Amino acid sequence: MNSNKWYIEKGDQGDIVLSTRIRLARNLDAYPFPGKLDVRGKKKVSETIRDAVLSDGSNSFRYMDMASLTRSQAVSLAERHLISPEFTTNREGRGLLLTEDESVSIMLCEEDHIRLQVMKAGLALEEAYDIADKIDTMLDSRLQYAFDERIGFLTQCPTNLGTAMRASVMLHLPALNATGRIAGLAATVSKLGLVIRGAYGEGSSSRGSIYQLSNQITLGITEQAAIDNLRAITLQIVAQERAAQEQLVKNENEIDRIWRAKGVLSSARLLSGDEFMELISLVRMGAARNVYEMPMEKISELIVQMQPATINAASGRDLTPQERDAIRAQAVRTAILS
């Protein structure tokens, strides 16, 4: 287990909000967008940005050539939300800059030349943006960005024009999910300039009742306005989810399900990824509502470390599903019982 990673923390509103992410898209003025670059061009851009970041040695980034990673290592990065799922494919010419605690990652030559993201535990939009802004300012001083005075930062996808910022929070919403209120919530937030999706963004489904809420609008709005809007709506959803959880845990059947989930996790010898996510979601709600004592930090670490490719990467080889399920069950048993 990785005790020095950013996600082994319980941040503000941590019973409902797992994490905050600020992502900035940037492109260099001197080069075509990545979609117009061949592998050699992507490699040149990646190396140019890498050198700009690492040149003064004052930061804690390490560089990874994506082409040098195994499939499991690359997918594990996506499971930990450090890169996009799309970034795991066609890895030639692409690079990743990553801090030791994994709170800051910079994808090089994904959809844009630079995809800078900062992640923090809990609800921490202002803190994450402040870190992203400082790194962005440093990069801007060393690399000339593609920028238009009228429409802002230029990006390969027109939906990112303007601030080119995506702010998002990861929410655990088991009670709203159980009571069938997610669809209505999605319709409501879409009218307010936000979108709610599965944990891995567009097109992904929710596992373990984990959802991503993010801003949709980047043009004609300031970064601060987008952050303020997201924070206000997040706090409203948090209040709704807490109230719904409090109602659920008054039900003896629900309390039984929560205790049974902990029982299975503490005794299972084989545990599939889907079953684990379903059970850990119930355990997390039980811990959040003080049904029993279990540190949120331990639960957050398990959610990250027990994903399929992350288990493969830690073992150093491609495991069979049964081997992986056995390793997952043993690690979860040890964590729950310790």
Side-chain angles (χ1 to χ4, degrees):
M1 295 283 180
N2 295 293
S3 57
N4 63 334
K5 304 305 183 192
W6 70 268
Y7 49 80
I8 321 288
E9 296 176 20
K10 181 189 174 186
D12 184 36
Q13 315 295 326
D15 58 325
I16 310 298
V17 185
L18 282 81
S19 62
T20 293
R21 182 183 73 179
I22 296 288
R23 192 192 74 199
L24 303 177
R26 301 289 187 258
N27 287 283
L28 308 191
D29 194 45
Y31 297 92
F33 290 134
K36 295 287 187 181
L37 291 172
D38 58 15
V39 170
R40 181 183 290 182
K42 288 178 183 176
K43 195 171 181 64
K44 180 170 176 58
V45 170
S46 294
E47 290 172 350
T48 298
I49 300 164
R50 176 200 66 191
D51 293 346
V53 172
L54 301 179
S55 60
D56 62 5
S58 64
N59 53 58
S60 60
F61 285 101
R62 62 189 175 96
Y63 177 76
M64 283 182 262
D65 180 345
M66 290 300 297
S68 70
L69 302 183
T70 66
R71 171 79 178 160
S72 288
Q73 288 171 330
V75 175
S76 174
L77 292 169
E79 288 176 347
R80 279 137 57 205
H81 300 280
L82 301 173
I83 63 174
S84 63
E86 191 275 333
F87 203 59
T88 65
T89 61
N90 302 321
R91 300 194 298 275
E92 292 290 334
R94 292 171 156 180
L96 177 70
L97 288 154
L98 185 64
T99 56
E100 187 179 348
D101 68 355
E102 300 185 352
S103 64
V104 184
S105 62
I106 307 174
M107 288 184 282
L108 307 179
C109 286
E110 195 233 28
E111 185 175 82
D112 296 288
H113 295 146
I114 295 171
R115 283 288 177 96
L116 162 64
Q117 72 168 29
V118 176
M119 300 187 73
K120 302 282 283 181
L123 183 60
L125 287 160
E126 288 80 7
E127 296 93 324
Y129 177 73
D130 185 56
I131 294 168
D133 187 47
K134 283 183 170 64
I135 298 170
D136 187 43
T137 300
M138 176 270 289
L139 285 172
D140 194 19
S141 69
R142 300 175 186 180
L143 303 162
Q144 187 172 350
Y145 286 154
F147 183 83
D148 181 89
E149 289 294 337
R150 188 170 56 88
I151 58 176
F153 292 101
L154 303 181
T155 54
Q156 184 158 301
C157 180
T159 59
N160 289 320
L161 289 170
T163 63
M165 182 191 79
R166 284 278 187 268
S168 62
V169 290
M170 205 72 75
L171 302 166
H172 182 226
L173 305 176
L176 293 178
N177 191 30
T179 53
R181 290 155 65 185
I182 297 295
L185 183 63
T188 300
V189 301
S190 70
K191 297 171 186 170
L192 301 169
L194 302 178
V195 62
I196 191 162
R197 296 173 170 143
Y200 292 97
E202 189 171 0
S204 67
S205 59
S206 166
R207 296 173 72 232
S209 296
I210 295 173
Y211 294 89
Q212 185 185 97
L213 179 71
S214 60
N215 69 303
Q216 273 189 302
I217 301 166
T218 59
L219 194 58
I221 185 173
T222 66
E223 290 91 345
Q224 191 60 54
I227 286 170
D228 290 346
N229 186 42
L230 179 57
R231 179 179 177 80
I233 295 168
T234 297
L235 289 172
Q236 291 179 38
I237 294 172
V238 165
Q240 288 180 38
E241 175 63 28
R242 276 198 194 119
Q245 286 189 16
E246 292 291 355
Q247 283 300 116
L248 277 184
V249 298
K250 289 177 182 176
N251 184 313
E252 278 300 317
N253 289 330
E254 196 64 32
I255 291 290
D256 183 61
R257 286 181 70 222
I258 289 169
W259 276 103
R260 282 174 182 271
K262 186 180 180 186
V264 172
L265 291 181
S266 62
S267 60
R269 264 47 188 174
L270 291 173
L271 201 56
S272 73
D274 286 343
E275 185 183 17
F276 164 72
M277 288 302 292
E278 181 184 339
L279 295 172
I280 202 71
S281 176
L282 286 166
V283 167
R284 194 179 195 283
M285 180 165 63
R289 301 280 70 85
N290 299 311
V291 173
Y292 38 60
E293 282 190 27
M294 185 175 299
M296 281 297 180
E297 298 87 341
K298 181 184 287 188
I299 296 169
S300 296
E301 184 172 18
L302 283 172
I303 289 172
V304 171
Q305 295 295 330
M306 293 299 102
Q307 299 305 316
T310 300
I311 295 173
N312 278 354
S315 73
R317 65 187 181 90
D318 285 336
L319 303 162
T320 67
Q322 183 157 335
E323 286 176 324
R324 196 165 55 234
D325 292 353
I327 289 171
R328 182 184 292 111
Q330 181 177 5
V332 172
R333 278 201 317 274
T334 301
I336 296 288
L337 295 171
S338 64

